[in-house]
Amino acid sequence: MDAALEYATLNNALRLSGIWLGYRVLVAVYNVSPLHPLHKFPGPKLAAASYIYEAWYDLVKGGQYTRRIKAMHEQYGPIIRINPDELHCNDYNFVEEIYPSVTTRIRDKNPHFLASFTPPLTVATFGTRDHETHRERRSGISKFFSRQGMLRYEPEIHDMAQKMCSKVLHLSQSGHIINALEPFNCFTADAISQYCFGEPFGFLDQPDFHKNYTRAFESLNTTIHVFRHFPIMRNTVALMPALAPFLGPDIQYLMKSMNEIIPGYVKKAQNNHSADTRRVFSEIMDSPIADEHKTTFRLSGEGWSLVAAGSETTAAALVHITYFLLAQPETLARLREELKNEDPHKLSWVDLEKYPYLHGVIYEGVRLALGVPARLPRIARTEDLVYKNRGFHYVIPRGTPIGMSAYVSHTDEEVFPQAEEYKPERWITADGKPDYGMEKYIMSFSKGARQCIGMNLAFCELYLVTAIMALRILPHLKLHDTVYEDIKYDWDALTPQPKKGARGVRLTSV
Ligand code: HEM
């Protein structure tokens, strides 16, 4: 012990720091040298040299790296190097290579991306790194979220959507100012909870909309970049349950929901797996996936990920749609005219899908709400990818993470002229039909075999709620002191964030 203390001197500490610094400089020199496998890819030399460049934009400038990546594409072309090990693409023609829909082409997730998350999210399908484990975990839940599955669930979604809209109308007419994100989050969280666990969280049954997961998700968002650049900080999460009484109420609620509430629902559903209602977590126990994927801990991660992925994202798209329908009265008038023969209390998702303008209203909302704004990289473990387009020719070595970003894609003026504007017409063909061909440009749900599993649920909710709102409640509501900057994407956490101080879409009675 004494001998060890003898070495713990300031001089030795300085020596060690010097060695470490020297090593980091050597690594940076190697990263930009012709010896590095990615040296031919264009991009700022500083970004190629060290992760500090990315961390600067994420941590110091506050979630600005995706915007920086967009600017880099303008300067350097469709494939660029954005950190020592990773590439970024801005070309739709390469989507099927990066995000293949066939599961025979192996795609892993990037550890640098996954470093943002902590257990139990890391054992959810979303947080799974390798292709093979992902296939097995996803197969345990995918059948529940098929179009057929959602058509069976639709009547319950319909009732919850009606209930939410009636309550918004009632509260606004009693003089309340409503932050639109709250009712939408209550609705989407109850809908996913009812489907997964066989009972809703009960958010729609409270007298107002105040209790929901909005602030818990916000707390989760604050840690994303810190954990990505300092993965060691993830260990603090293990201490959180003990520290919870000293933390803010939002973090407390987040911890409670991750460690108690969701596992509680999962356990109840697991024990109830003989029930005849078709619920995800009661039936998952009978699915042919390995028992190691059926533990309460792992299923709690799956449950939490489904709740987080299934509520915040769809709610954000509904917020955008609500804002633009109220800010652009001519858009709402055209939508109401299109839907005028529908009974607002008896709507059907399949029937609603046929309306071209409604299709445009929804896709424009999904485009501008972005889903996940930043890159979602994939690693082709077993094959080199060849990019040959727009006068560029690159061979992307196997094992290299490469991704695309919804923000970069959705603001591409070549595909979406006047991209900042909300224009449902851009989703309609010249002969007045929904332009399904344009859907390929939407990156909100990611693409390929690891794309969003909840797209059918999301669209069922979006079609029903948008139509109910347009027909039943929006004519009785107006925006309260709200401008686009109150929701417009400014920086990224996991989900898109508006400028600091933005107050969301606030609704009041006309
Ligand atoms: C507008 C609504 C939604 C948007 C924009 C959205 C967006 C996304 C995105 C971008 C991903 C891919 C993440 C990645 O590549 O790493 C994803 C994955 C996922 N989403 Fe959604 N989502 C939405 C709604 C939902 C809903 C309603 C559910 C509920 C079931 C859901 C469940 C999931 C799950 C479980 C995954 C992980 C899939 C996998 O890794 O295989 N999402 N979502």
Side-chain angles (χ1 to χ4, degrees), residues 307-324:
V307 170
S311 35
E312 179 80 348
T313 45
T314 316
L318 286 170
V319 166
H320 277 74
I321 292 168
T322 306
Y323 172 78
F324 285 109

Side-chain angles (χ1 to χ4, degrees), residues 3 70 228 300 352 411 413 416 445 453:
K70 183 173 165 65
R228 183 171 297 173
S300 299
L352 290 173
T411 52
E413 288 281 330
F416 302 109
F445 300 96
I453 216 169

Side-chain angles (χ1 to χ4, degrees), residues 202-338:
F203 292 154
L204 286 176
D205 286 331
Q206 60 186 320
D208 48 34
F209 292 112
H210 290 332
K211 192 168 167 234
N212 58 65
Y213 276 119
T214 307
R215 280 169 289 280
F217 295 143
E218 279 166 10
S219 320
L220 189 73
N221 264 328
T222 55
T223 57
I224 295 292
H225 291 132
V226 178
F227 288 170
R228 183 171 297 173
H229 294 288
F230 301 102
I232 200 164
M233 294 289 287
R234 291 184 302 176
N235 297 332
T236 55
V237 171
L239 302 172
M240 292 273 185
L243 295 176
F246 311 102
L247 302 170
D250 302 338
I251 301 230
Q252 270 181 43
Y253 190 58
L254 174 69
M255 296 318 299
K256 194 171 161 160
S257 66
M258 268 194 187
N259 298 317
E260 288 175 40
I261 301 176
I262 302 289
Y265 277 103
V266 167
K267 274 188 218 149
K268 216 162 141 192
Q270 275 177 312
N271 295 333
N272 196 20
H273 72 279
S274 58
D276 49 19
T277 43
R278 191 185 148 82
R279 302 301 180 199
V280 179
F281 284 90
S282 46
E283 292 211 4
I284 206 170
M285 299 311 288
D286 297 328
S287 72
I289 60 171
D291 285 348
E292 65 183 278
H293 301 306
K294 293 180 184 171
T295 63
T296 306
F297 176 70
R298 201 198 78 74
L299 292 182
S300 299
E302 200 72 278
W304 169 253
S305 128
L306 281 163
V307 170
S311 35
E312 179 80 348
T313 45
T314 316
L318 286 170
V319 166
H320 277 74
I321 292 168
T322 306
Y323 172 78
F324 285 109
L325 288 178
L326 289 175
Q328 299 178 183
E330 66 289 356
T331 309
L332 177 59
R334 187 166 163 189
L335 180 61
R336 282 174 55 78
E337 175 62 24
E338 185 181 65

Side-chain angles (χ1 to χ4, degrees), residues 99 109 113 125-127 134-135 138 141 145 192 302 305-306 309-311 313-315 317 366 370-372 376 378 443-447 449-455 457-458 461-462:
Y99 305 99
K109 277 200 172 171
F113 169 77
T125 300
F126 165 79
H134 173 264
R135 293 316 311 152
R138 186 166 166 125
I141 49 172
F145 296 100
I192 189 75
E302 200 72 278
S305 128
L306 281 163
S311 35
T313 45
T314 316
V366 167
L370 294 175
V372 176
L376 293 163
R378 301 286 190 267
M443 295 299 294
S444 306
F445 300 96
S446 186
K447 296 281 186 195
R450 296 186 81 147
Q451 74 174 356
C452 178
I453 216 169
M455 286 172 71
L457 173 56
E461 292 175 341
L462 289 168

